Amino acid sequence: MKKFFTLALMTVVAAFTASVAKAEISFSGYQEFYAESVDQSTAAGLDAATQTDVSRNGLSNGRFTRIIATASTTLDSGIEVGTVFSIARDGSASGDTDTNIVAVNENSINFSGGFGTIALGNIFSNGTMMHNRGTTLIPTAEPDNGGIDNYLTAGGGSYGTTEEVGYALDGMKLRYASNVYEGFSFGISYEPCMGKNTSQVSHYDCNAASVTNYHDVIDTAIGWGGNFEGVDVSLTYGYVGGNTKIVNATEYSDLENHTYSAKLAVAGATLIYRQNNYGDSGLSKAVENDGDGEGSVWAVRYDMGNISLGYAHTESSVVAADGESASTAERDVFGVGYNLGGGVLIELAHGTKEETDGVDNLKDTEADVTLAKLSFGF
């Protein structure tokens, strides 16, 4: 498979080498700011009232403030070429590294035409691009943006995940997306080493990465979309596979991740459901009864004029070790937004988060979070 993608890249370069006109360049950007308050009753499995040194409110500059430069041109062959380069406020150069490994901090080039689109660089995985994403649907884009986690004290265990492996991360990838034919589309991406992201140097040794920074990751997905009597329907299925490594004579299970998603939209209302299953991926093969990693999300949003309302529910679980119960996490978030015009939004959200450790079946985290978000897209 690695040889196939290498050959594909060489073919792209050879086929598209030609004289080009001067590219058209444009700039855009985005800013976000938060005010947050947390009411946490349980932190690290303890009564939060005993942790009087922890401040649970404040102001935040968020994670995704950035400037985006894009350029486009057309080769003599008619192939369209585009490039994206983002400078994130929370990139490593600023010392605030929230977006160090997130692909909104993009650096990419793409080629598109009748064959579809081929992209190369620090880009989103194929599944990130294709699946319906309920965690970003509601006003404030919580819980995906992670604002509700800014000031609470989360548990230290593993509680499963609602997202497929590699979601939104910016390791170097080669990605292909087909055009849409009769509602159907297909995509695939290849990432040689998940540990080699923008938090690392370009010559980073992939063998030094952790077990769950998989190698030779192939992310495939198919999608279909159509309209029935005014109802828009979107369905996707995806599979992510990758290799682990042997550490100190211990073998770990390779990555096998299945994702299903569905979206219905009609008259201003949107409903999304997604299911994620990754079994015992990345866990020791010597342990027989661990794994069963899974997560799900459903979310609904309603837009009426400048006002938006939404609700999202997520739950996930994984058995971290033999003989344990599943460790679980649940989040509920309500959001409301108002579009002030000119790219400026003001949004409010209230969410709850609970995490339960499968070792002792006690809650590690219980918290209520309220936040306000001001954003400007330009």
Side-chain angles (χ1 to χ4, degrees):
M1 185 60 74
K2 286 192 291 184
K3 292 181 179 179
F4 170 79
F5 277 97
T6 302
L7 179 61
L9 179 58
M10 294 174 63
T11 304
V12 169
V13 173
F16 298 159
T17 301
S19 61
V20 297
K22 188 174 181 179
E24 297 182 2
I25 302 174
S26 63
F27 292 89
S28 60
Y30 173 78
Q31 287 180 294
E32 62 180 16
F33 303 94
Y34 288 83
E36 303 183 36
S37 177
V38 178
D39 180 12
Q40 184 158 3
S41 58
T42 305
L46 303 173
D47 183 349
T50 65
Q51 300 184 22
T52 56
D53 60 327
V54 178
S55 175
R56 303 192 187 279
N57 58 77
L59 299 175
S60 169
N61 66 4
R63 302 175 62 196
F64 300 126
T65 293
R66 62 197 185 276
I67 294 290
I68 307 163
T70 60
S72 61
T73 191
T74 303
L75 302 180
D76 292 345
S77 61
I79 300 295
E80 295 182 359
V81 180
T83 184
V84 178
F85 182 71
S86 297
I87 302 175
R89 164 64 183 82
D90 287 13
S92 58
S94 72
D96 188 347
T97 58
D98 287 340
T99 60
N100 248 9
I101 62 172
V102 182
V104 296
N105 202 15
E106 182 175 352
N107 172 36
S108 69
I109 187 168
N110 63 79
F111 304 87
S112 60
F115 54 85
T117 300
I118 297 173
L120 172 69
N122 300 112
I123 54 178
F124 290 118
S125 64
N126 176 66
T128 304
M129 300 293 291
M130 290 191 65
H131 294 306
N132 300 298
R133 196 68 56 180
T135 49
T136 63
L137 180 65
I138 74 170
T140 69
E142 293 295 330
D144 188 88
N145 270 20
I148 64 173
D149 294 318
N150 278 344
Y151 296 105
L152 62 79
T153 301
S158 176
Y159 309 95
T161 177
T162 61
E163 313 293 353
E164 72 276 8
V165 171
Y167 166 64
L169 302 183
D170 72 353
M172 279 292 297
K173 304 178 190 70
L174 178 64
R175 187 183 70 217
Y176 168 75
S178 74
N179 294 324
V180 179
Y181 303 100
E182 300 294 331
F184 288 94
S185 58
F186 168 79
I188 184 170
S189 61
Y190 170 69
E191 184 174 5
C193 168
M194 290 185 66
K196 193 173 182 179
N197 49 53
T198 53
S199 70
Q200 305 293 348
V201 295
S202 296
H203 59 276
Y204 177 72
D205 180 7
C206 292
N207 293 314
S210 66
V211 169
T212 53
N213 278 317
Y214 302 98
H215 292 191
D216 299 326
V217 177
I218 306 293
D219 185 329
T220 62
I222 56 174
W224 179 84
N227 182 280
F228 295 94
E229 303 293 334
V231 179
D232 292 321
V233 180
S234 172
L235 304 171
T236 69
Y237 165 72
Y239 174 80
V240 188
N243 299 324
T244 56
K245 57 184 180 180
I246 299 173
V247 179
N248 296 327
T250 300
E251 293 186 57
Y252 295 86
S253 298
D254 288 339
L255 171 61
E256 296 185 6
N257 196 154
H258 301 267
T259 302
Y260 311 81
S261 76
K263 180 172 75 172
L264 300 176
V266 58
T270 303
L271 174 65
I272 291 178
Y273 175 79
R274 190 179 74 255
Q275 176 71 33
N276 180 52
N277 298 287
Y278 57 98
D280 60 356
S281 299
L283 298 177
S284 171
K285 290 185 177 180
V287 181
E288 295 184 357
N289 298 316
D290 60 352
D292 297 326
E294 63 179 358
S296 64
V297 55
W298 69 268
V300 61
R301 176 183 176 120
Y302 183 65
D303 296 296
M304 44 187 176
N306 290 10
I307 299 174
S308 301
L309 305 171
Y311 167 73
H313 173 78
T314 72
E315 54 186 63
S316 60
S317 64
V318 66
V319 179
D322 193 8
E324 294 182 3
S325 300
S327 295
T328 64
E330 290 192 31
R331 294 175 293 186
D332 293 276
V333 187
F334 300 85
V336 58
Y338 186 77
N339 188 338
L340 300 173
V344 179
L345 295 174
I346 185 167
E347 299 166 301
L348 303 173
H350 179 78
T352 62
K353 181 174 184 176
E354 293 186 0
E355 294 172 326
T356 303
D357 193 333
V359 176
D360 52 20
N361 292 314
L362 297 178
K363 288 186 178 179
D364 287 343
T365 307
E366 288 183 283
D368 289 79
V369 182
T370 301
L371 63 83
K373 176 184 176 184
L374 176 66
S375 63
F376 177 29
F378 53 91

